[in-house]
């Protein structure tokens, strides 16, 4: 007997299953929260990869509540939790029905949503009341055409309104898109307790190196062109051009793992590169506040993944028009740029991603309302470019000077006073 709050439609399970990678993506918000927290998994099933990932994410002081879709599974699910031993069974409880659940910092839907748009909307509305203020609802939906009866489109709409991050998990059968939704604002201090989130759609090359999904796509296009050229122009070596280009193209989008300093007073570099300038100024685009601005130039050989210099909540994001001057030149001040504005416990911080003479594409992945940990990836700029970090001038002390080399997420460029 099913008692899922939508009647089992939006949460019903067809051929879609969540593998280990998808399960880790669904539970990522839970795993990166280093403070004591409570999580809720609805539509939990026996042997679920999502339940396993949620248990693995628990820290001392955390608690987890499981709500199975079918009341007949309650006893078996409780036995499964007991089999994990006392450390888990003391922190995880299985309840008979959703109304008995307490509000949670993270609510996770344990199976992909495959119903209609109305069913998905009803499901989200029903689960929203079980979130604490600033809590996150994590939900997966099939990412293939016709994979749902309208739920995918509704989740995309909800993400446009309330999304604070998401990921496409290609290594699942079929692929799924994970959405993280926040219906009420989170307190800015909550960002201080988070660890950086990893984009699971990037491709691991080694334990410490990934290729961003943009690079995977670009390399795939290059290899596709090579295959097409070889098939249509037999005997020609023309296919070698795109085939050989695939490696440096993918390398440009490399995304190394970085050790973020533990010092809470540290401000880290937003990108790899060479420091162009350190100065106090006012920027009319950011109001009358005086900032300490640290500008870093990225050559085409630098890692172009951008990271948040501080922990904070994204409160604004805007793009300014301009030219495409060489990024190391003073004229780059007026290039096309994307500004990410963060509220922090130390004041307002801004990161500007500036285009260059070659760079014309800015990728931004931190929706307004999302929380960024210090050193967390939030976007990238394609080819040579520049990043500017604006800090409150009266609160921050610079630790770098012009000409210094920095590594994004690892090098300390300033310290809070």
């Amino acid at each position: 007997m099913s008692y899922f709050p939508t009647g089992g439609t939006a949460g019903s399970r067809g051929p879609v299953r969540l593998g280990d990678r998808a399960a880790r993506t669904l539970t990522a918000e839970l795993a990166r929260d280093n403070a004591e927290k409570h999580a809720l998994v609805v539509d939990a099933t026996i042997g679920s990869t999502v339940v396993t990932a949620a248990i693995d994410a628990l820290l001392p002081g955390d608690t987890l509540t499981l709500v199975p879709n079918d009341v007949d599974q309650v006893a078996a699910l409780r036995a499964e939790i007991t089999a994990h031993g006392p450390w888990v069974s003391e922190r995880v409880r299985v309840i008979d029905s959703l109304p008995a659940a307490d509000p949670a910092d993270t609510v996770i839907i344990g199976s992909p949503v495959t119903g209609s748009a109305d069913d998905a909307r009803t499901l989200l509305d029903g689960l929203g009341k079980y979130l604490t203020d600033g809590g996150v609802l994590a939900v997966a939906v099939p990412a293939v055409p016709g994979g749902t009866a309208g739920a995918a489109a509704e989740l995309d709409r909800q993400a446009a309104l309330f999304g604070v991050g998401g990921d496409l998990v290609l290594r699942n059968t079929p692929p799924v898109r994970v959405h993280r939704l926040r219906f009420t604002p989170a307190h800015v201090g909550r960002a201080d307790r988070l660890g950086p989130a990893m984009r699971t759609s990037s491709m691991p090359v080694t334990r410490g190196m990934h290729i961003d999904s943009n690079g995977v796509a670009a390399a795939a296009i290059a290899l596709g062109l090579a295959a097409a050229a070889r098939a249509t122009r037999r005997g020609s070596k023309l296919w070698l051009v795109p085939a050989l280009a695939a490696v440096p193209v993918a390398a440009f989008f490399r995304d190394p793992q970085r050790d973020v300093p533990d010092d809470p007073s540290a401000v880290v570099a937003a990108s790899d590169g060479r420091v162009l300038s350190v100065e106090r100024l006012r920027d009319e685009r950011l109001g009358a506040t005086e900032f300490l601005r640290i500008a870093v130039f990225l050559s085409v050989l630098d890692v172009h993944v951008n990271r948040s210099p501080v922990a904070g909540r994204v409160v604004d994001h805007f793009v300014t028009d301009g030219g495409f001057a060489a990024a190391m030149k003073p004229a780059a001040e007026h290039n096309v740029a994307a500004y990410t504005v963060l509220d922090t416990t130390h004041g307002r911080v801004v990161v500007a991603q500036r285009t260059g003479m070659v760079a014309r594409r800015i990728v931004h992945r931190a929706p307004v309302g999302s929380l960024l940990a210090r050193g967390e990836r939030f976007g990238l700029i394609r080819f040579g470019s520049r990043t500017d970090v604006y800090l409150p001038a009266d609160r921050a002390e610079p630790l770098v000077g012009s000409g210094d080399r920095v590594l994004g997420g690892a090098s300390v460029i300033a310290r809070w006073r």
Side-chain angles (χ1 to χ4, degrees):
M1 180 179 65
S2 173
Y3 58 81
F4 204 60
T6 60
T9 306
S12 62
R13 298 170 296 279
V16 184
R17 294 291 182 267
L18 295 176
D20 291 338
R21 193 173 182 86
R24 290 196 303 271
T25 306
L26 260 179
T27 57
E29 193 70 20
L30 174 64
R32 75 189 192 112
D33 192 336
N34 295 316
E36 290 188 5
K37 55 196 174 290
H38 175 57
L40 172 65
V41 176
V42 299
D43 205 5
T45 57
I46 300 169
S48 166
T49 56
V50 176
V51 172
T52 299
I55 292 174
D56 289 343
L58 294 178
L59 297 173
D62 293 347
T63 55
L64 173 65
T65 298
L66 307 178
V67 186
N69 179 271
D70 194 327
V71 71
D72 293 336
Q73 295 186 21
V74 170
L77 194 54
R78 284 175 177 160
E80 184 177 278
I81 297 302
T82 301
H84 281 277
W87 194 94
V88 171
S89 59
E90 290 172 2
R91 291 163 175 80
V92 181
R93 68 180 183 127
V94 180
I95 59 177
D96 295 338
S97 62
L98 186 60
D102 296 323
D105 301 300
T106 305
V107 175
I108 302 163
I109 302 179
S111 62
V113 173
T114 57
S116 68
D118 287 341
D119 291 329
R121 194 177 308 115
T122 301
L123 175 61
L124 298 184
D125 289 344
L127 292 177
K129 63 185 179 183
Y130 292 96
L131 285 168
T132 58
D133 288 342
V136 170
L137 172 64
V139 55
V141 65
V144 293
T148 72
E154 176 60 22
L155 263 296
D156 287 341
R157 188 185 74 84
Q158 294 278 347
L161 296 172
F162 308 109
V164 291
D167 219 339
L168 177 64
V169 184
L170 294 174
R171 293 170 61 182
N172 197 75
T173 306
V176 295
R177 184 173 296 280
V178 173
H179 295 282
R180 288 181 284 278
L181 309 174
R182 179 177 285 121
F183 301 112
T184 57
H187 188 275
V188 64
R190 191 168 182 172
D192 292 328
R193 72 191 203 189
L194 299 178
M198 179 63 191
R199 293 191 68 241
T200 54
S201 59
S202 62
M203 184 179 75
V205 178
T206 65
R207 185 173 183 177
M209 180 66 69
H210 286 63
I211 301 297
D212 186 86
S213 56
N214 276 254
V216 176
I221 291 172
L223 292 175
L225 291 173
R230 189 171 187 181
T232 57
R233 300 201 174 190
R234 298 183 181 279
S236 171
K237 300 296 184 182
L238 183 63
W239 66 275
L240 287 173
V241 175
L244 294 176
V247 174
V249 165
F252 173 81
F253 291 97
R254 65 194 183 280
D255 181 9
Q257 189 72 6
R258 294 278 166 77
D259 292 327
V260 181
D262 292 331
D263 185 355
S265 68
V267 178
V268 299
S271 66
D272 289 22
R274 176 172 56 86
V275 177
L276 286 176
S277 63
V278 180
E279 55 188 329
R280 295 167 70 104
L281 50 73
R282 287 180 170 84
D283 191 320
E284 61 182 10
R285 292 161 291 200
L286 304 174
T289 303
E290 184 180 30
F291 287 97
L292 170 69
R293 187 181 72 178
I294 301 174
V296 174
F297 168 68
L298 296 79
S299 76
V300 294
L301 300 179
D302 286 315
V303 172
H304 274 57
V305 172
N306 300 143
R307 300 166 184 262
S308 179
V310 295
R313 182 182 65 209
V314 180
V315 294
D316 196 10
H317 174 256
F318 61 92
V319 178
T320 59
D321 291 330
F324 296 97
M328 77 289 292
K329 302 295 185 182
E333 179 79 20
H334 304 291
N335 281 1
V336 173
Y339 289 79
T340 301
V341 184
L342 297 168
D343 257 353
T344 79
T345 53
H346 299 278
R348 187 65 54 93
V349 174
V350 182
V351 182
Q353 299 168 279
R354 300 195 188 280
T355 59
M357 185 168 58
V358 178
R360 301 294 176 98
R361 169 77 170 165
I362 296 173
V363 178
H364 182 265
R365 295 168 174 151
V368 172
S370 58
L371 297 179
L372 294 178
R374 184 173 62 249
E376 183 171 343
R377 303 158 178 85
F378 74 93
L380 59 89
I381 316 174
R382 294 182 180 176
F383 308 107
S385 50
R386 166 179 154 183
T387 59
D388 295 352
V389 174
Y390 294 78
L391 304 168
D394 61 341
R395 302 294 303 276
E397 177 184 356
L399 299 180
V400 293
S402 298
D404 289 347
R405 292 285 306 178
V406 295
L407 295 178
S411 297
V412 179
I413 61 173
R415 195 174 302 281
W416 296 117
R417 294 185 189 275

